Structures are given as C-alpha cells and as structure tokens.
C-alpha cells in the first residue's frame, strides 16, 4: 500500500479568487514557501465573474464618512462599524497597489467624456449615495483576477495546485490534543490521481468563496459550494450570520443562458425596473412603491420587491429598461453584457431585458477580525467565506472586491508578525495526521449524489429563499437532517471523490443557513421571515453564531 504523503509548507491558502491570490501574494513577500490549493483551474472563481466593480472613495466630492454611512445603512444595523471604517479607509491604497501590479480601470476619456478624461470613470450601484465604483468595463473581476494570476505565476515561492480540493482541516481538537484549538493544515485530494495527502503549514487561510450552489438559481459558478465555511465549521470555527444570503435582483431570465448577471451598474446609469401591467400588458415602473431610492435601493429591498411583483402579476420575470441610452453608449459602457444580451436575442438599446433574482452572495461566514484571524490558532479566512462585519445583514454593492483586496493584506501581515509563534505550534505528531478512509469501496451510487444535490438546492430555493416563514424553515430543517445522515453514511463507506466532498459541504452549509435563520426571531436585511416584523435597524442586534464542539471525547 502506498505510504500516506505529508507535504510541508510555510503557508497554505485554500482558494484562488481575488482574496486568495491577494493573500498568497502578500504572504510570499517574506520569501517563505506558500501553497495555493484550488479545486479547478486557478481562475475559476466567483471574483472573475464580478461585473460592477470596486467601491472606493476616489473622488474629492466623496468622503470616507459617506461610504461608511451607505454601508451601515445597507447593512441594516448588523455591520461592525470599526471594520467598515478600516476597510473603507484602506481602499485607495489597495487600489493603487493593484494598479501598480498592472490593473487597468476604465477612464472617463475611454467612455467619450471630455471633462476630466484621465480620471477614472466612477459608476453607481444600489445603496450608494455617490458615484464611487471603479470598474474595468463591465468585467472588473476578470481584470483583477487576470492581474493577480499573472503576479502569482511569476513568484517562485508560490506553488499553485490546480484540481486539488481540500477535504477537511487538520486541527488539534480533532486529533485529541488538549489546549487551544490549533490548525496545522488540511487534507487535500488530488482530483486527477485520487490520492489524498496532508498539507501542513504554520498558517492556513480559507479563501474558498461563496455558496451560491446551495440554491437552485444563482449567479455563482459551479465551484461556489461553501466549502470554506463547511470545513471551518467542522474544525470548530465560529460561523456567523449565515441567514443573510444576498439575492441579486437582476439575473438574465432566459431558457438556455443560465446564471448571467445583469450588473447593478445598469441601474446606476439610469436603467429602471418594470413589470407588465396585468390589464394592458404595458411595462410599468414599480420601485416607487417600495423605496425612495427606487431602482437604486439597497439590494435586499429590490429583490423582495421583485419577488412580490412577480407573485402579484403571476409573471415569471420583471424587466430592466435602459433604452434611454444609444446603442453606441451601451456597447461602450457594457460591452460584455451587451454582447451576451444580443446572443440571447435582446438588443438593450431597443428591448427590455427580462430579469429575475438569484442567490448571489453570502454575507455571513467564518467569523474573523479585520485581520482575517479566526477563533482557531493559525486559521485565517478572507473574502466571501469570511464574516468580518463589513456586510452586516445586507452587503452594499461592490464592497466585496474591496474587502477581497484589503483584508488578505492585513491577514498576511498578521501571519508574518506571528510567524515564529505559529510555526512553533507544529506538533511532532505526524502519524496522527494521516487520512483514514475506513472501508472504502468504489462508489456506484453517483445517482445518490446527484439526487441529494438537486433536492437540497430545490428546497433551499423554495423554503429558505427571499421569502421565509417558520413553517418553511422547519420543513427545510427536517429534510436536511435526513440528507445529512445519508451523506455521512456513504461518506465513510465510499472512496472520497470531489463530487462527494462538494455535496457534503453543500449540505453542511445548507444546514447552517437553516439553523441561523431559525435562530433569528425577527426580519432584518436579507433575512425576511413573514412570521416576524422588520424592527428598527437601530435596535441592538446580535450576531447569530454557530460553533461545533469538536473536541474528541
Ligand atoms: C453587479 O455588478 O451588479 C454585482 C456587483 C456586486 O455584487 O457587488
């Protein structure tokens, strides 16, 4: 039998979106050995699909105070103001740093503006009182990811392991070691060979992105399975505010083009949401009934309004109307979206764009400080899988790419400052860290994986979506309990595959969302439970924390 392999690094980063690569980049500055593990190819991630841009105060008519105030307002009383201020104020430096690495943001001149043509064009999105969204056309995430991939590829002390999926974290409490819970690394499956090895390091940073695939309809790519939150939870990390799932109001509604985002930046340029009048069939505006900011209201308000209009009219979608702009302007400002819509037979300059809400972003996650540190020694979390307190109960548009650039740097600095301490906690207990698969047999039960995956996504959409009630949440809880039991059984019986690992993570995250939703006895931000009223955001509100005791008995 082949000997179980242990690979030693100084630092491990799990995930290769903007947050993960930014963290690896800053960690690598020390010259130490950094490993990045990523499930598919290096740039297959949520960050790459981000269209709108990066919210950042870059204009003399804007202020940090205003950006902070907009973030707190959207967050419905649940943001950590200290974290918000620190991240917002660190924004301009982070932007300048990525520009120095080669990122190109769109200037006003490129869009044909003659006044101040060299300044960056600043877009506007829902909940922002000012124009403050830096963008690279309408593919900002792809541009930032391109730059970070190129940068990381050029660093000799960073090894990128593509098609490697982390299965679980190696933590002292699960190994039966008493004292503070410490993270030593992760068990990793090399998807191509099927081999599982243990990767050890002084620090492990989770940068695993979002969990949109927990829901039937999502803007997220297939990799967004909530694996960071699920692994950290199983290791004993505190998980916060998982009830706050953001549904993006405007995903293209089309029979074959799935999950395509129609950026909020369109509404920033004056696009208006409409639904068809039941009597005349004419498209009519409706957001004035819901919020003074109308189509540019915070996302939770807009998604709920669309949900309610679709129910009222019985229609399967609503529409975005941006026909007040010329084709030339739209092609120039939104080249990617324009082309995709054309592919769908929609010319944005002449036609309404049919849209529906879909799961987009997890505002909760692994609880961290603004330096990414978790409650487990040596374990850090950055990006969407982390909950720093920036987003509160509803993320302000385009704040996440900002967070993905600022917090990983702070995390890397904290790790470097504590390196000697973190390194010294490596135990000499390597044999205990081997992976055991029990009585593994080949899984001929792939149908079970596909079926469970599908079932979870459907009931999460129906019962734990934009509109929740206690009864629906209880129903979802009963379903997930059964499924989780089934998964745990074949998890230990069968050879571990990437599909099985992802299904197990999806199920864990679904349960965390359901449990957190059941714990919150109010409606707030993105968590709307029809059995409870919305309370004043100013009223004191507490994080929903779920933590598992993983000490071995
Ligand atoms: C968008 O472009 O609408 C998405 C921006 C975001 O989710 O922050």
């Amino acid at each position: 039998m082949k000997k179980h392999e242990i690979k030693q690094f100084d630092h491990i980063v799990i995930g290769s979106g903007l947050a993960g690569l930014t963290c690896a980049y800053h960690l690598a500055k020390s010259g130490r050995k950094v490993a990045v593990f990523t499930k598919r190819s290096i740039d297959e991630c949520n960050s790459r699909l981000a269209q709108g841009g990066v919210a950042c105060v870059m204009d003399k008519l804007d202020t940090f105070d205003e950006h902070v105030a907009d973030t707190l307002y959207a967050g419905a009383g649940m943001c950590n103001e200290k974290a918000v201020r620190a991240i917002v104020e660190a924004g301009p430096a982070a932007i300048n740093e990525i520009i120095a690495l080669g990122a190109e943001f769109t200037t006003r001149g490129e869009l044909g503006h003659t006044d101040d043509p060299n300044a960056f064009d600043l877009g506007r999105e829902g909940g922002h009182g000012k124009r403050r969204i830096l963008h690279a056309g309408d593919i900002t995430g792809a541009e930032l990811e391109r730059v970070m991939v190129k940068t990381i590829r050029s660093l000799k002390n960073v090894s990128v392991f593509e098609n490697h999926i982390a299965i679980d974290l190696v933590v002292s409490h699960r190994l039966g070691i008493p004292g503070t819970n410490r993270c030593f690394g992760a068990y990793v499956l090399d998807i191509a060979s099927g081999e599982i090895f243990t990767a050890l390091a002084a620090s492990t940073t989770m940068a695993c992105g979002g969990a949109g695939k927990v829901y039937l309809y999502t803007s997220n790519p297939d990799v967004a399975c909530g694996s960071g939150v699920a692994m950290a939870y199983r290791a004993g990390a505190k998980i916060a505010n998982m009830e706050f799932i953001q549904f993006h109001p405007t995903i293209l509604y089309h029979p074959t083009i799935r999950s395509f985002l129609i950026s909020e930046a369109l509404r920033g340029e004056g696009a208006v949401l409409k639904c068809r009048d039941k009597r005349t069939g004419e498209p009519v505006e409706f957001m004035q009934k819901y919020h003074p900011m109308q189509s540019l209201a915070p996302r939770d308000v807009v998604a709920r309004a669309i949900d309610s209009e679709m129910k009222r009219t019985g229609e399967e979608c609503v529409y975005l109307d941006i026909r007040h702009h010329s084709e030339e302007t739209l092609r120039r400002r939104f080249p990617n979206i324009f082309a995709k819509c054309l592919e769908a037979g929609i010319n944005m300059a002449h036609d309404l764009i049919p849209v529906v809400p879909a799961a987009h972003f997890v505002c909760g996650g692994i609880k961290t400080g603004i330096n990414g540190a978790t409650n487990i020694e040596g374990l850090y979390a950055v990006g969407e899988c982390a909950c720093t307190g920036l987003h509160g109960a509803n993320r302000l548009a385009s704040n996440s790419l900002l967070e993905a650039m600022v917090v990983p740097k702070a995390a890397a600095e904290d790790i470097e400052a504590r390196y000697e301490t973190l390194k010294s906690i490596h135990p000499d207990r390597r044999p205990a860290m081997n992976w055991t698969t029990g009585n593994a047999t080949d899984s001929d039960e792939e149908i079970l994986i596909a079926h469970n995956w599908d079932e979870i996504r459907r009931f999460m959409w129906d019962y734990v979506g934009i509109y929740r009630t206690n009864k629906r949440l209880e129903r979802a809880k009963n379903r997930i309990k059964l499924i989780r039991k089934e998964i745990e059984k074949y998890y230990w019986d069968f050879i571990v595959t990437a599909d099985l690992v992802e299904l197990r993570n999806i199920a864990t995250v679904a349960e965390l969302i359901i449990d957190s939703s059941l714990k919150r006895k109010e409606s707030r931000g993105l968590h709307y439970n029809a059995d409870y009223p919305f309370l004043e955001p100013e009223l004191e509100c507490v994080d929903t924390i779920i933590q598992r005791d993983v000490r071995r008995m």
Side-chain angles (χ1 to χ4, degrees), residues 150-435:
K150 191 165 152 250
T151 304
I152 287 296
R153 293 270 192 224
S154 72
L155 299 173
K156 293 213 162 34
N157 57 331
V158 180
S159 313
V160 179
F161 294 80
E162 295 180 293
N163 299 310
H164 281 65
I165 184 168
I167 302 173
D168 260 319
L169 294 168
V170 186
V171 289
S172 57
H173 278 186
R174 289 170 86 185
L175 296 173
I177 303 171
T180 311
N181 196 10
R182 296 164 172 180
C183 182
F184 304 124
Y187 299 110
V188 180
L189 168 68
D190 174 347
I191 298 172
S193 69
E195 296 293 332
I196 294 170
F197 60 89
T198 308
L200 296 181
S203 78
T204 303
T205 301
M206 308 302 272
C208 312
K213 296 305 273 190
V214 171
Y215 287 89
L216 190 56
Y217 303 110
T218 176
S219 62
N220 292 186
D222 286 349
V223 288
C225 298
S227 43
V229 170
M231 275 188 279
Y233 169 69
R234 289 195 292 268
K238 286 186 183 168
I239 307 298
N241 297 343
M242 289 298 289
E243 66 275 33
F244 299 121
I245 303 297
Q246 187 166 72
F247 292 82
H248 195 293
T250 57
I251 307 300
L252 182 66
Y253 176 69
H254 190 269
T256 54
I257 301 173
R258 292 174 57 230
S259 302
F260 186 74
L261 189 70
I262 305 293
S263 175
E264 216 164 85
L266 266 77
R267 279 176 278 143
E269 300 305 332
V272 170
L273 283 160
K274 294 187 173 173
C275 63
R276 290 213 185 271
D277 183 276
K278 269 168 88 169
R279 210 166 35 84
T280 63
E282 282 302 305
V284 287
E285 295 184 28
F286 57 85
M287 277 308 298
Q288 70 283 0
K289 293 191 277 179
Y290 296 93
H291 197 278
M293 291 177 87
Q294 303 195 16
S295 290
L296 267 183
R299 249 176 225 177
D300 54 340
V301 178
V302 180
R304 257 194 314 277
I306 293 177
D307 185 62
S308 129
E309 289 298 312
M310 280 166 52
K311 282 183 182 136
R312 188 181 65 77
T313 58
E315 294 257 334
E316 291 186 335
C317 64
V318 295
Y319 302 91
L320 260 181
D321 188 348
I322 195 164
R323 295 175 297 177
H324 59 287
H325 283 299
S326 69
E327 180 165 334
E328 190 198 344
T329 304
L330 292 174
R331 277 184 187 275
R332 205 162 358 172
R333 175 63 180 88
F334 301 111
N336 173 49
I337 299 172
F338 196 94
K340 198 58 156 189
C341 283
L342 267 193
E343 197 186 305
I346 301 158
N347 181 326
M348 288 161 57
H350 306 300
D351 305 318
L352 296 173
I353 312 166
V355 289
V356 284
H360 184 59
F361 192 90
V362 183
C363 294
I366 307 162
K367 188 160 177 59
T368 69
I370 44 182
N371 58 5
T374 71
N375 60 302
I376 301 178
E377 183 80 336
L379 181 69
Y380 288 73
V382 293
E384 190 172 342
C385 70
C387 180
T388 58
L390 172 68
H391 308 310
N394 174 42
R395 178 180 64 104
L396 183 66
S398 286
N399 265 356
S400 41
L401 290 184
L402 176 71
E403 186 183 46
M405 291 193 282
V406 170
V407 178
K409 182 176 185 192
E413 285 168 359
D414 193 69
I415 291 167
E416 184 53 29
R418 301 189 59 240
Y419 180 72
E420 291 305 324
T421 316
L422 294 175
K423 193 178 77 163
S424 71
I425 65 179
H426 274 181
D428 196 14
R429 304 178 72 136
R430 291 173 167 230
M433 293 181 180
N434 285 356
W435 175 261

Side-chain angles (χ1 to χ4, degrees), residues 60-130:
K60 50 187 179 309
L61 295 177
D62 195 7
T63 63
F64 290 139
D65 282 348
E66 286 169 279
H67 189 177
V68 168
D70 288 346
T71 304
L72 298 179
Y73 175 73
M78 290 291 300
C79 299
N80 172 341
E81 189 167 347
K82 243 171 100 182
V84 173
R85 188 162 287 283
I87 293 168
V88 161
E89 292 186 356
I95 293 291
N96 288 333
E97 195 154 4
I98 203 155
I99 289 174
L101 292 174
E104 291 183 16
F105 292 102
T106 303
T107 60
R108 293 178 53 72
E110 285 170 66
L111 295 181
H113 299 294
T114 47
D115 58 315
D116 216 356
N118 296 326
F120 292 124
D121 181 67
L122 299 175
R124 202 174 155 201
E125 290 179 15
H128 288 275
K130 284 268 166 72

